[in-house]
PDB file of all heavy atoms in Angstrom:
ATOM      1  N   LEU A   1     -16.098 -37.523  20.071  1.00 95.00           N
ATOM      2  CA  LEU A   1     -16.555 -36.295  19.413  1.00 95.00           C
ATOM      3  C   LEU A   1     -18.080 -36.246  19.368  1.00 95.00           C
ATOM      4  O   LEU A   1     -18.695 -35.248  19.739  1.00 95.00           O
ATOM      5  CB  LEU A   1     -15.971 -36.213  18.000  1.00 95.00           C
ATOM      6  CG  LEU A   1     -16.512 -35.126  17.081  1.00 95.00           C
ATOM      7  CD1 LEU A   1     -16.151 -33.748  17.595  1.00 95.00           C
ATOM      8  CD2 LEU A   1     -15.985 -35.322  15.665  1.00 95.00           C
ATOM      9  N   MET A   2     -18.690 -37.344  18.938  1.00 95.00           N
ATOM     10  CA  MET A   2     -20.156 -37.383  18.830  1.00 95.00           C
ATOM     11  C   MET A   2     -20.818 -37.290  20.205  1.00 95.00           C
ATOM     12  O   MET A   2     -21.870 -36.661  20.355  1.00 95.00           O
ATOM     13  CB  MET A   2     -20.622 -38.650  18.104  1.00 95.00           C
ATOM     14  CG  MET A   2     -20.319 -38.642  16.619  1.00 95.00           C
ATOM     15  SD  MET A   2     -21.199 -37.333  15.757  1.00 95.00           S
ATOM     16  CE  MET A   2     -19.876 -36.276  15.257  1.00 95.00           C
ATOM     17  N   ASN A   3     -20.201 -37.903  21.212  1.00 96.00           N
ATOM     18  CA  ASN A   3     -20.735 -37.773  22.579  1.00 96.00           C
ATOM     19  C   ASN A   3     -20.699 -36.320  23.042  1.00 96.00           C
ATOM     20  O   ASN A   3     -21.635 -35.840  23.683  1.00 96.00           O
ATOM     21  CB  ASN A   3     -19.943 -38.650  23.556  1.00 96.00           C
ATOM     22  CG  ASN A   3     -20.325 -40.100  23.457  1.00 96.00           C
ATOM     23  OD1 ASN A   3     -21.420 -40.445  23.018  1.00 96.00           O
ATOM     24  ND2 ASN A   3     -19.415 -40.983  23.854  1.00 96.00           N
ATOM     25  N   THR A   4     -19.633 -35.617  22.705  1.00 95.00           N
ATOM     26  CA  THR A   4     -19.518 -34.212  23.085  1.00 95.00           C
ATOM     27  C   THR A   4     -20.539 -33.363  22.329  1.00 95.00           C
ATOM     28  O   THR A   4     -21.170 -32.478  22.919  1.00 95.00           O
ATOM     29  CB  THR A   4     -18.082 -33.693  22.834  1.00 95.00           C
ATOM     30  OG1 THR A   4     -17.166 -34.560  23.515  1.00 95.00           O
ATOM     31  CG2 THR A   4     -17.909 -32.276  23.349  1.00 95.00           C
ATOM     32  N   VAL A   5     -20.722 -33.643  21.046  1.00 95.00           N
ATOM     33  CA  VAL A   5     -21.741 -32.928  20.259  1.00 95.00           C
ATOM     34  C   VAL A   5     -23.122 -33.178  20.866  1.00 95.00           C
ATOM     35  O   VAL A   5     -23.925 -32.248  21.012  1.00 95.00           O
ATOM     36  CB  VAL A   5     -21.702 -33.340  18.771  1.00 95.00           C
ATOM     37  CG1 VAL A   5     -22.916 -32.802  18.022  1.00 95.00           C
ATOM     38  CG2 VAL A   5     -20.412 -32.865  18.110  1.00 95.00           C
ATOM     39  N   CYS A   6     -23.391 -34.404  21.241  1.00 95.00           N
ATOM     40  CA  CYS A   6     -24.680 -34.752  21.866  1.00 95.00           C
ATOM     41  C   CYS A   6     -24.863 -34.001  23.187  1.00 95.00           C
ATOM     42  O   CYS A   6     -25.942 -33.470  23.462  1.00 95.00           O
ATOM     43  CB  CYS A   6     -24.746 -36.259  22.098  1.00 95.00           C
ATOM     44  SG  CYS A   6     -26.309 -36.809  22.793  1.00 95.00           S
ATOM     45  N   MET A   7     -23.795 -33.932  23.983  1.00 94.00           N
ATOM     46  CA  MET A   7     -23.851 -33.203  25.258  1.00 94.00           C
ATOM     47  C   MET A   7     -24.168 -31.727  25.002  1.00 94.00           C
ATOM     48  O   MET A   7     -24.999 -31.139  25.698  1.00 94.00           O
ATOM     49  CB  MET A   7     -22.514 -33.348  25.987  1.00 94.00           C
ATOM     50  CG  MET A   7     -22.414 -32.643  27.328  1.00 94.00           C
ATOM     51  SD  MET A   7     -21.845 -30.916  27.320  1.00 94.00           S
ATOM     52  CE  MET A   7     -20.281 -30.993  26.493  1.00 94.00           C
ATOM     53  N   ILE A   8     -23.522 -31.149  23.997  1.00 94.00           N
ATOM     54  CA  ILE A   8     -23.773 -29.744  23.659  1.00 94.00           C
ATOM     55  C   ILE A   8     -25.234 -29.561  23.264  1.00 94.00           C
ATOM     56  O   ILE A   8     -25.907 -28.647  23.730  1.00 94.00           O
ATOM     57  CB  ILE A   8     -22.826 -29.272  22.537  1.00 94.00           C
ATOM     58  CG1 ILE A   8     -21.399 -29.177  23.075  1.00 94.00           C
ATOM     59  CG2 ILE A   8     -23.286 -27.934  21.952  1.00 94.00           C
ATOM     60  CD1 ILE A   8     -20.347 -28.955  22.000  1.00 94.00           C
ATOM     61  N   TYR A   9     -25.724 -30.422  22.405  1.00 94.00           N
ATOM     62  CA  TYR A   9     -27.105 -30.329  21.937  1.00 94.00           C
ATOM     63  C   TYR A   9     -28.096 -30.455  23.102  1.00 94.00           C
ATOM     64  O   TYR A   9     -29.090 -29.735  23.157  1.00 94.00           O
ATOM     65  CB  TYR A   9     -27.379 -31.414  20.888  1.00 94.00           C
ATOM     66  CG  TYR A   9     -28.792 -31.403  20.366  1.00 94.00           C
ATOM     67  CD1 TYR A   9     -29.217 -30.418  19.482  1.00 94.00           C
ATOM     68  CD2 TYR A   9     -29.716 -32.361  20.768  1.00 94.00           C
ATOM     69  CE1 TYR A   9     -30.511 -30.389  19.002  1.00 94.00           C
ATOM     70  CE2 TYR A   9     -31.008 -32.340  20.290  1.00 94.00           C
ATOM     71  CZ  TYR A   9     -31.408 -31.353  19.410  1.00 94.00           C
ATOM     72  OH  TYR A   9     -32.694 -31.330  18.945  1.00 94.00           O
ATOM     73  N   CYS A  10     -27.801 -31.337  24.024  1.00 95.00           N
ATOM     74  CA  CYS A  10     -28.729 -31.586  25.143  1.00 95.00           C
ATOM     75  C   CYS A  10     -28.665 -30.531  26.247  1.00 95.00           C
ATOM     76  O   CYS A  10     -29.645 -30.336  26.955  1.00 95.00           O
ATOM     77  CB  CYS A  10     -28.457 -32.960  25.756  1.00 95.00           C
ATOM     78  SG  CYS A  10     -28.883 -34.326  24.657  1.00 95.00           S
ATOM     79  N   THR A  11     -27.525 -29.873  26.400  1.00 95.00           N
ATOM     80  CA  THR A  11     -27.384 -28.958  27.545  1.00 95.00           C
ATOM     81  C   THR A  11     -27.302 -27.482  27.183  1.00 95.00           C
ATOM     82  O   THR A  11     -27.570 -26.640  28.038  1.00 95.00           O
ATOM     83  CB  THR A  11     -26.138 -29.322  28.386  1.00 95.00           C
ATOM     84  OG1 THR A  11     -24.978 -29.238  27.560  1.00 95.00           O
ATOM     85  CG2 THR A  11     -26.262 -30.716  28.984  1.00 95.00           C
ATOM     86  N   SER A  12     -26.937 -27.171  25.964  1.00 94.00           N
ATOM     87  CA  SER A  12     -26.793 -25.761  25.594  1.00 94.00           C
ATOM     88  C   SER A  12     -28.154 -25.115  25.367  1.00 94.00           C
ATOM     89  O   SER A  12     -28.972 -25.643  24.618  1.00 94.00           O
ATOM     90  CB  SER A  12     -25.967 -25.627  24.313  1.00 94.00           C
ATOM     91  OG  SER A  12     -26.009 -24.293  23.851  1.00 94.00           O
ATOM     92  N   PRO A  13     -28.376 -23.960  25.995  1.00 93.00           N
ATOM     93  CA  PRO A  13     -29.650 -23.280  25.759  1.00 93.00           C
ATOM     94  C   PRO A  13     -29.741 -22.635  24.373  1.00 93.00           C
ATOM     95  O   PRO A  13     -30.824 -22.317  23.916  1.00 93.00           O
ATOM     96  CB  PRO A  13     -29.698 -22.218  26.852  1.00 93.00           C
ATOM     97  CG  PRO A  13     -28.303 -22.039  27.305  1.00 93.00           C
ATOM     98  CD  PRO A  13     -27.565 -23.298  27.010  1.00 93.00           C
ATOM     99  N   TYR A  14     -28.601 -22.487  23.701  1.00 91.00           N
ATOM    100  CA  TYR A  14     -28.607 -21.826  22.394  1.00 91.00           C
ATOM    101  C   TYR A  14     -28.228 -22.762  21.248  1.00 91.00           C
ATOM    102  O   TYR A  14     -28.598 -22.521  20.107  1.00 91.00           O
ATOM    103  CB  TYR A  14     -27.625 -20.641  22.393  1.00 91.00           C
ATOM    104  CG  TYR A  14     -27.944 -19.616  23.447  1.00 91.00           C
ATOM    105  CD1 TYR A  14     -27.207 -19.540  24.620  1.00 91.00           C
ATOM    106  CD2 TYR A  14     -28.994 -18.719  23.278  1.00 91.00           C
ATOM    107  CE1 TYR A  14     -27.493 -18.594  25.585  1.00 91.00           C
ATOM    108  CE2 TYR A  14     -29.295 -17.774  24.239  1.00 91.00           C
ATOM    109  CZ  TYR A  14     -28.533 -17.715  25.389  1.00 91.00           C
ATOM    110  OH  TYR A  14     -28.842 -16.776  26.336  1.00 91.00           O
ATOM    111  N   TYR A  15     -27.472 -23.801  21.532  1.00 88.00           N
ATOM    112  CA  TYR A  15     -26.982 -24.690  20.478  1.00 88.00           C
ATOM    113  C   TYR A  15     -27.868 -25.919  20.320  1.00 88.00           C
ATOM    114  O   TYR A  15     -27.427 -26.942  19.830  1.00 88.00           O
ATOM    115  CB  TYR A  15     -25.541 -25.143  20.778  1.00 88.00           C
ATOM    116  CG  TYR A  15     -24.608 -24.813  19.652  1.00 88.00           C
ATOM    117  CD1 TYR A  15     -23.780 -23.719  19.716  1.00 88.00           C
ATOM    118  CD2 TYR A  15     -24.587 -25.573  18.496  1.00 88.00           C
ATOM    119  CE1 TYR A  15     -22.940 -23.384  18.687  1.00 88.00           C
ATOM    120  CE2 TYR A  15     -23.757 -25.251  17.455  1.00 88.00           C
ATOM    121  CZ  TYR A  15     -22.940 -24.156  17.556  1.00 88.00           C
ATOM    122  OH  TYR A  15     -22.127 -23.839  16.517  1.00 88.00           O
ATOM    123  N   ASN A  16     -29.104 -25.814  20.717  1.00 90.00           N
ATOM    124  CA  ASN A  16     -29.978 -26.985  20.697  1.00 90.00           C
ATOM    125  C   ASN A  16     -31.028 -26.930  19.583  1.00 90.00           C
ATOM    126  O   ASN A  16     -32.085 -27.515  19.698  1.00 90.00           O
ATOM    127  CB  ASN A  16     -30.656 -27.156  22.058  1.00 90.00           C
ATOM    128  CG  ASN A  16     -31.509 -25.961  22.415  1.00 90.00           C
ATOM    129  OD1 ASN A  16     -31.589 -24.996  21.670  1.00 90.00           O
ATOM    130  ND2 ASN A  16     -32.153 -26.028  23.566  1.00 90.00           N
ATOM    131  N   THR A  17     -30.711 -26.232  18.499  1.00 90.00           N
ATOM    132  CA  THR A  17     -31.635 -26.195  17.365  1.00 90.00           C
ATOM    133  C   THR A  17     -31.048 -27.030  16.234  1.00 90.00           C
ATOM    134  O   THR A  17     -29.824 -27.203  16.145  1.00 90.00           O
ATOM    135  CB  THR A  17     -31.849 -24.756  16.853  1.00 90.00           C
ATOM    136  OG1 THR A  17     -30.614 -24.258  16.332  1.00 90.00           O
ATOM    137  CG2 THR A  17     -32.355 -23.836  17.959  1.00 90.00           C
ATOM    138  N   SER A  18     -31.914 -27.532  15.374  1.00 90.00           N
ATOM    139  CA  SER A  18     -31.420 -28.344  14.263  1.00 90.00           C
ATOM    140  C   SER A  18     -30.550 -27.505  13.324  1.00 90.00           C
ATOM    141  O   SER A  18     -29.568 -27.997  12.764  1.00 90.00           O
ATOM    142  CB  SER A  18     -32.582 -28.987  13.500  1.00 90.00           C
ATOM    143  OG  SER A  18     -33.419 -28.003  12.965  1.00 90.00           O
ATOM    144  N   GLU A  19     -30.872 -26.217  13.195  1.00 88.00           N
ATOM    145  CA  GLU A  19     -30.086 -25.332  12.333  1.00 88.00           C
ATOM    146  C   GLU A  19     -28.645 -25.211  12.832  1.00 88.00           C
ATOM    147  O   GLU A  19     -27.692 -25.369  12.062  1.00 88.00           O
ATOM    148  CB  GLU A  19     -30.739 -23.952  12.289  1.00 88.00           C
ATOM    149  CG  GLU A  19     -30.009 -22.953  11.426  1.00 88.00           C
ATOM    150  CD  GLU A  19     -30.596 -21.546  11.531  1.00 88.00           C
ATOM    151  OE1 GLU A  19     -31.745 -21.393  11.993  1.00 88.00           O
ATOM    152  OE2 GLU A  19     -29.889 -20.606  11.153  1.00 88.00           O
ATOM    153  N   ARG A  20     -28.481 -24.950  14.122  1.00 89.00           N
ATOM    154  CA  ARG A  20     -27.138 -24.797  14.694  1.00 89.00           C
ATOM    155  C   ARG A  20     -26.364 -26.122  14.654  1.00 89.00           C
ATOM    156  O   ARG A  20     -25.190 -26.166  14.327  1.00 89.00           O
ATOM    157  CB  ARG A  20     -27.222 -24.323  16.147  1.00 89.00           C
ATOM    158  CG  ARG A  20     -27.718 -22.913  16.307  1.00 89.00           C
ATOM    159  CD  ARG A  20     -26.571 -21.964  16.589  1.00 89.00           C
ATOM    160  NE  ARG A  20     -27.029 -20.717  17.134  1.00 89.00           N
ATOM    161  CZ  ARG A  20     -27.321 -19.652  16.402  1.00 89.00           C
ATOM    162  NH1 ARG A  20     -27.226 -19.704  15.109  1.00 89.00           N
ATOM    163  NH2 ARG A  20     -27.722 -18.553  16.980  1.00 89.00           N
ATOM    164  N   LEU A  21     -27.052 -27.209  15.006  1.00 92.00           N
ATOM    165  CA  LEU A  21     -26.394 -28.511  15.040  1.00 92.00           C
ATOM    166  C   LEU A  21     -26.025 -28.973  13.633  1.00 92.00           C
ATOM    167  O   LEU A  21     -24.937 -29.514  13.423  1.00 92.00           O
ATOM    168  CB  LEU A  21     -27.291 -29.539  15.731  1.00 92.00           C
ATOM    169  CG  LEU A  21     -26.557 -30.777  16.211  1.00 92.00           C
ATOM    170  CD1 LEU A  21     -25.541 -30.407  17.283  1.00 92.00           C
ATOM    171  CD2 LEU A  21     -27.531 -31.794  16.751  1.00 92.00           C
ATOM    172  N   THR A  22     -26.902 -28.736  12.673  1.00 91.00           N
ATOM    173  CA  THR A  22     -26.614 -29.113  11.289  1.00 91.00           C
ATOM    174  C   THR A  22     -25.381 -28.374  10.795  1.00 91.00           C
ATOM    175  O   THR A  22     -24.498 -28.962  10.163  1.00 91.00           O
ATOM    176  CB  THR A  22     -27.825 -28.807  10.376  1.00 91.00           C
ATOM    177  OG1 THR A  22     -28.938 -29.577  10.837  1.00 91.00           O
ATOM    178  CG2 THR A  22     -27.533 -29.149   8.934  1.00 91.00           C
ATOM    179  N   SER A  23     -25.302 -27.085  11.087  1.00 89.00           N
ATOM    180  CA  SER A  23     -24.151 -26.288  10.683  1.00 89.00           C
ATOM    181  C   SER A  23     -22.861 -26.849  11.284  1.00 89.00           C
ATOM    182  O   SER A  23     -21.844 -26.980  10.589  1.00 89.00           O
ATOM    183  CB  SER A  23     -24.359 -24.833  11.123  1.00 89.00           C
ATOM    184  OG  SER A  23     -23.216 -24.074  10.862  1.00 89.00           O
ATOM    185  N   LEU A  24     -22.899 -27.198  12.547  1.00 92.00           N
ATOM    186  CA  LEU A  24     -21.725 -27.743  13.221  1.00 92.00           C
ATOM    187  C   LEU A  24     -21.346 -29.107  12.632  1.00 92.00           C
ATOM    188  O   LEU A  24     -20.172 -29.353  12.317  1.00 92.00           O
ATOM    189  CB  LEU A  24     -21.985 -27.870  14.723  1.00 92.00           C
ATOM    190  CG  LEU A  24     -20.868 -28.477  15.549  1.00 92.00           C
ATOM    191  CD1 LEU A  24     -19.589 -27.642  15.435  1.00 92.00           C
ATOM    192  CD2 LEU A  24     -21.298 -28.608  17.002  1.00 92.00           C
ATOM    193  N   LEU A  25     -22.315 -29.988  12.481  1.00 94.00           N
ATOM    194  CA  LEU A  25     -22.023 -31.326  11.951  1.00 94.00           C
ATOM    195  C   LEU A  25     -21.520 -31.266  10.513  1.00 94.00           C
ATOM    196  O   LEU A  25     -20.655 -32.060  10.116  1.00 94.00           O
ATOM    197  CB  LEU A  25     -23.261 -32.227  12.061  1.00 94.00           C
ATOM    198  CG  LEU A  25     -23.628 -32.640  13.490  1.00 94.00           C
ATOM    199  CD1 LEU A  25     -24.963 -33.369  13.507  1.00 94.00           C
ATOM    200  CD2 LEU A  25     -22.535 -33.506  14.112  1.00 94.00           C
ATOM    201  N   LEU A  26     -22.040 -30.325   9.747  1.00 93.00           N
ATOM    202  CA  LEU A  26     -21.565 -30.141   8.373  1.00 93.00           C
ATOM    203  C   LEU A  26     -20.085 -29.755   8.379  1.00 93.00           C
ATOM    204  O   LEU A  26     -19.287 -30.287   7.600  1.00 93.00           O
ATOM    205  CB  LEU A  26     -22.396 -29.061   7.678  1.00 93.00           C
ATOM    206  CG  LEU A  26     -22.030 -28.746   6.240  1.00 93.00           C
ATOM    207  CD1 LEU A  26     -22.308 -29.948   5.345  1.00 93.00           C
ATOM    208  CD2 LEU A  26     -22.812 -27.550   5.751  1.00 93.00           C
ATOM    209  N   LYS A  27     -19.699 -28.875   9.269  1.00 93.00           N
ATOM    210  CA  LYS A  27     -18.300 -28.437   9.353  1.00 93.00           C
ATOM    211  C   LYS A  27     -17.395 -29.582   9.821  1.00 93.00           C
ATOM    212  O   LYS A  27     -16.266 -29.732   9.345  1.00 93.00           O
ATOM    213  CB  LYS A  27     -18.183 -27.222  10.266  1.00 93.00           C
ATOM    214  CG  LYS A  27     -18.762 -25.964   9.643  1.00 93.00           C
ATOM    215  CD  LYS A  27     -18.718 -24.802  10.599  1.00 93.00           C
ATOM    216  CE  LYS A  27     -19.268 -23.548   9.973  1.00 93.00           C
ATOM    217  NZ  LYS A  27     -20.706 -23.464  10.020  1.00 93.00           N
ATOM    218  N   ILE A  28     -17.886 -30.377  10.750  1.00 94.00           N
ATOM    219  CA  ILE A  28     -17.110 -31.537  11.213  1.00 94.00           C
ATOM    220  C   ILE A  28     -16.923 -32.518  10.057  1.00 94.00           C
ATOM    221  O   ILE A  28     -15.818 -33.019   9.817  1.00 94.00           O
ATOM    222  CB  ILE A  28     -17.811 -32.210  12.417  1.00 94.00           C
ATOM    223  CG1 ILE A  28     -17.704 -31.301  13.655  1.00 94.00           C
ATOM    224  CG2 ILE A  28     -17.209 -33.583  12.698  1.00 94.00           C
ATOM    225  CD1 ILE A  28     -18.565 -31.731  14.831  1.00 94.00           C
TER     226      ILE A  28
END
């Protein structure tokens, strides 16, 4: 799961902000 989240953060042009990632990790 964390590897996939990392891949998203590193490759997504829109999901690579701390705000978006924090929101996702909070939900997880």
Side-chain angles (χ1 to χ4, degrees):
L1 170 66
M2 288 296 113
N3 282 337
T4 306
V5 169
C6 183
M7 180 271 304
I8 290 170
Y9 179 74
C10 292
T11 59
S12 171
Y14 302 103
Y15 236 101
N16 61 359
T17 65
S18 61
E19 180 187 342
R20 291 258 197 268
L21 198 64
T22 299
S23 174
L24 178 60
L25 289 172
L26 180 66
K27 288 176 179 83
I28 289 169

